[in-house]
Amino acid sequence: MKQSLQQIHIKGACEHNLKNLELSIKRNQITVITGVSGSGKSSLAFDTILAESQRRFFYTLSQYTRQFLDLGSRPAVRSITGLSPAISLRQNETQPSKRASVGTLTDLAELLGVLFSNFGSRLCPEHMLLTTCKSSEEISKSIIHQAIEKTIAICLPLAKEKKGSFEKSLSGYATKGYVRAYIDGELVSLVPTPN
């Protein structure tokens, strides 16, 4: 990689509190800008580097598209090289609630949710096996393939740990076309209706 693409070179930055600042920042790394209040941290990061990066990116777009964008003015800097298109997280001055976290305050929680839903792998929490979305046809084919020469019963709980007579509800299911019921651990025919 060329030397010019490994670093961001800034010369003569004079935006707001900056006084003819000259520095180089390594690319593809996390860089922290620290200093006392009023020393020009935001002027360097947002008003100089970010503003120039976005301005250059906007000028790669068509004239028609640029008319809908706020291009802003060129920052007060002699030259900047090695820039790429850039985005920034907004600084919010709102009072956070007791349940707020860094993720909720910066909207990173929603962005991470989108990232994981598109690129993450869903695992069964009990067996740690990969889960996939299947259609009803794929599920039925899989059941039939695995259960050759076996009885397949799809059951729905109607009564569990309840006392009383269920003859009326069972006869109702028999008239709807159901032929068996799973009662007390056994498959029982619904014709005639069990007691």
Side-chain angles (χ1 to χ4, degrees), residues 17-163:
N17 296 346
L18 303 177
K19 306 295 183 191
N20 203 25
L21 182 69
E22 185 171 332
L23 77 149
S24 296
I25 301 172
K26 289 187 179 180
R27 288 167 49 99
N28 304 320
Q29 294 184 8
I30 294 177
T31 301
V32 179
I33 302 172
T34 62
V36 297
S37 178
S39 61
K41 302 180 297 292
S42 296
S43 297
L44 174 63
F46 296 106
D47 301 329
T48 304
I49 298 173
L50 178 68
E52 180 63 13
S53 177
Q54 290 183 338
R55 189 185 72 84
R56 290 183 188 183
F57 174 71
F58 289 158
Y59 276 101
T60 65
L61 304 175
S62 68
Q63 179 67 34
Y64 176 77
T65 305
R66 289 203 304 264
Q67 71 180 344
F68 301 108
L69 300 173
D70 179 19
L71 300 178
S73 59
R74 188 178 188 280
V77 61
R78 192 164 59 247
S79 71
I80 301 180
T81 58
L83 284 179
S84 299
I87 59 171
S88 68
L89 297 177
R90 185 175 63 238
Q91 291 177 305
N92 291 329
E93 298 295 330
T94 57
Q95 289 295 324
S97 70
K98 293 179 181 178
R99 293 178 294 174
S101 65
V102 173
T104 57
L105 290 174
T106 60
D107 293 331
L108 280 176
E110 292 180 22
L111 294 173
L112 286 174
V114 171
L115 180 72
F116 286 129
S117 67
N118 286 312
F119 300 106
S121 298
R122 296 171 185 87
L123 298 177
C124 169
E126 190 172 327
H127 304 99
M128 298 310 289
L129 297 174
L130 191 64
T131 61
T132 55
C133 182
K134 293 185 178 180
S135 66
S136 55
E137 291 83 12
E138 290 175 320
I139 294 170
S140 60
K141 283 180 183 177
S142 175
I143 292 172
I144 292 169
H145 179 72
Q146 294 177 23
I148 296 173
E149 300 179 3
K150 292 182 183 178
T151 302
I152 300 171
I154 300 174
C155 301
L156 173 71
L158 299 174
K160 188 176 181 181
E161 298 178 3
K162 291 185 179 179
K163 294 181 180 179

